[in-house]
Amino acid sequence: MKETMDVAKQASLEIEQYLWQQPETLGVVNLEDDPYFQSLDIDLVWETKDGVFLVEIKGDRYYRTGNYFFEVVSNQSKNSLGCFMYTEADFVFYYFIDEKELHVLPMPQTREWFNENKDRYQQKTVSTSVGTGRYLTVGKLVPRDEVKGKKVVNLSVLDKLA
């Protein structure tokens, strides 16, 4: 769980830095510790000149697979809905932290497309440790090149500009 939390924290930090560098950004508020927004699976509020957007962040270290992992069941023993299925976010920011590659997925359009196509994709169960316990999370491996409407940004370019 510690590695998962480290990935999540790194992803949030780097994405917040990226958003603050955008000329359209008026504000960024991190809500990861707010129980209400946790229940909606929303990590950030991003205020821009064009409006206010709710953002869910997913950090990932498995770029080489060519897939996204779309969580459909959060905890298998409790049969709780996975975050990809219920997030109230306007965007999922799927971030490959080692490559510094951000994929901006518009929601709910991406979820609608996924629901129409999810039976085509391999299901994967992963084990997560929490304290002394473990639980299983279920997701679908979705090839990144099949998801339309996303925007891909390489954040390593920003490091060179700083």
Side-chain angles (χ1 to χ4, degrees), residues 42-153:
I42 293 169
D43 294 323
L44 299 176
V45 173
W46 177 30
E47 183 181 0
T48 73
K49 296 173 184 172
D50 296 324
V52 176
F53 302 99
L54 305 174
V55 177
E56 168 62 10
I57 297 172
K58 290 296 170 196
D60 196 329
R61 282 210 140 102
Y62 297 99
Y63 183 84
R64 72 188 184 297
T65 69
N67 297 315
Y68 296 118
F69 180 82
F70 288 168
E71 183 184 279
V72 295
V73 177
S74 178
N75 184 329
Q76 192 174 40
S77 66
K78 295 180 180 179
N79 199 31
S80 54
L81 203 56
C83 67
F84 191 79
M85 304 307 289
Y86 74 85
T87 182
E88 296 285 325
D90 298 305
F91 297 99
V92 170
F93 281 17
Y94 204 109
Y95 186 54
F96 295 97
I97 62 170
D98 296 328
E99 293 73 18
K100 296 193 179 297
E101 190 170 286
L102 173 62
H103 294 223
V104 179
L105 307 174
M107 299 298 276
Q109 300 92 326
T110 304
R111 181 174 38 232
E112 290 170 7
W113 170 85
F114 173 72
N115 281 329
E116 293 169 3
N117 293 280
K118 66 184 172 191
D119 293 337
R120 298 176 26 212
Y121 302 113
Q122 177 186 355
Q123 184 167 296
K124 178 86 171 167
T125 302
V126 295
S127 178
T128 304
S129 297
V130 177
T132 59
R134 298 183 77 71
Y135 65 91
L136 298 176
T137 297
V138 179
K140 294 282 189 157
L141 298 178
V142 178
R144 293 190 302 261
D145 61 356
E146 292 187 23
V147 178
K148 307 299 181 219
K150 68 182 176 289
K151 177 181 175 185
V152 178
V153 180

